[in-house]
Structure formats: structure tokens, C-alpha cells
Amino acid sequence: MTSIFSKIVKGEIPSHKIAEDDNYLAFLDINPLAKGHTLVIPKREVDYIFDMDDDLLAGIQVFSKKVAKAIEKVVPCKRIGIAVLGLEVPHAHIHLIPINRLEDINFGRPKLQFSNEELAETAASIRQVLEK
Ligand code: 5GP
């Protein structure tokens, strides 16, 4: 199903990209629960994560691991929490969220507001770690 995330993949709408390869793209969530809150998606259009074929599903975990390790170098936290909801955007995605306590990954609480410049700066710092 075509969604806003396919438009991000095609570059038709902007995003703060973190990493990409042939199959996956990571970019900052526009309404984050924490600084560095990142979404990892398959480039292929799949709505439900458990409809992804086995190789694509296994690969997104490995891709997410690399991204998570870079996020935690930029955003001090106890660990990177992962969550899959998919209630808003019908394109499979994994949330990577720096957390220190349970409430940090509570999707019911108000989202944080960062300026476009702040998001760009965070994305650039994470990309820099990945490039090392
Ligand atoms: P979910 O589908 O997992 O319930 O939530 C979708 C997530 O995608 C939300 O955290 C929301 O902030 C994020 N999101 C929705 N639209 C956009 C967008 O256009 N750009 C970015 N970067 N994130 C988005």
C-alpha cells in the first residue's frame, strides 16, 4: 500500500535520513518520543511487519542494530527501545527510541517538539557515527 513512507523513500517528501541501503531506510520520526527517535522501514511496500518475507524481516533487525548502536553514541541513554505499532502509517516500520525508563517509550504521552535545525543536527551526528 502506498503511504507517506513510500514518498519518503522516493524523496518526494523530505526526511532527516540516518542510513539506507538497497532494502532499508532509517530516518528520524517527525513527532519523536525522544531525541534520536528513529524509524526503520523496508523500502518495499509492505503494511504489516509480519507479512514481510523471512529474509526481509531478518535483515531489518540487523540493519536496525547498526542504526541503534549509532544512536546510542549520540543520545545518552540506558538502551535503545524498539517498538512496532503501525497503527498510523500502513507501511511496516520499527521505532528505535533512546530510553532511560519505562515512560520514555509510552506512546500515549505528548510528543517532543524539535526544530527542523535540531532534527537535522541530530541526524547528521548519527550519520557521522555510522560513517566512521
Ligand atoms: P505508528 O504507525 O507506528 O503508530 O506511528 C507512525 C509514526 O510515524 C509516528 O511516530 C509518526 O510521528 C511518524 N510519522 C508519521 N508521518 C511522518 C512523516 O511524514 N515523516 C516522519 N519522519 N515521520 C512520520
Side-chain angles (χ1 to χ4, degrees):
M1 186 192 288
T2 296
S3 74
I4 195 126
F5 288 175
S6 293
K7 293 190 173 164
I8 288 176
V9 170
K10 290 180 198 151
E12 291 170 3
I13 61 166
S15 68
H16 295 284
K17 286 188 186 177
I18 301 293
E20 72 179 311
D21 67 10
D22 288 348
N23 293 317
Y24 310 106
L25 173 65
F27 53 96
L28 292 182
D29 192 305
I30 204 157
N31 291 124
L33 281 173
K35 181 181 173 183
H37 180 166
T38 296
L39 302 174
V40 183
I41 66 169
K43 289 186 172 177
R44 199 177 306 161
E45 283 179 358
V46 187
D47 174 357
Y48 184 40
I49 195 158
F50 294 128
D51 285 335
M52 285 165 70
D53 68 45
D54 290 356
D55 286 347
L56 197 64
L57 181 58
I60 201 170
Q61 301 288 350
V62 176
F63 187 87
S64 297
K65 175 181 167 180
K66 277 184 225 144
V67 174
K69 293 279 181 187
I71 297 170
E72 66 192 21
K73 288 205 169 83
V74 171
V75 182
C77 59
K78 273 200 178 148
R79 53 183 59 210
I80 302 296
I82 69 171
V84 176
L85 291 86
L87 296 173
E88 184 187 326
V89 179
H91 184 128
H93 52 281
I94 293 176
H95 294 260
L96 300 178
I97 305 168
I99 55 171
N100 292 295
R101 59 192 77 79
L102 187 60
E103 303 82 67
D104 295 341
I105 200 163
N106 173 3
F107 281 81
R109 72 176 170 80
K111 303 291 170 52
L112 303 179
Q113 297 289 329
F114 293 107
S115 68
N116 198 45
E117 289 71 27
E118 286 170 321
L119 292 171
E121 200 177 300
T122 301
S125 303
I126 300 168
R127 283 197 304 270
Q128 223 167 37
V129 173
L130 284 165
E131 280 159 16
K132 276 185 193 156

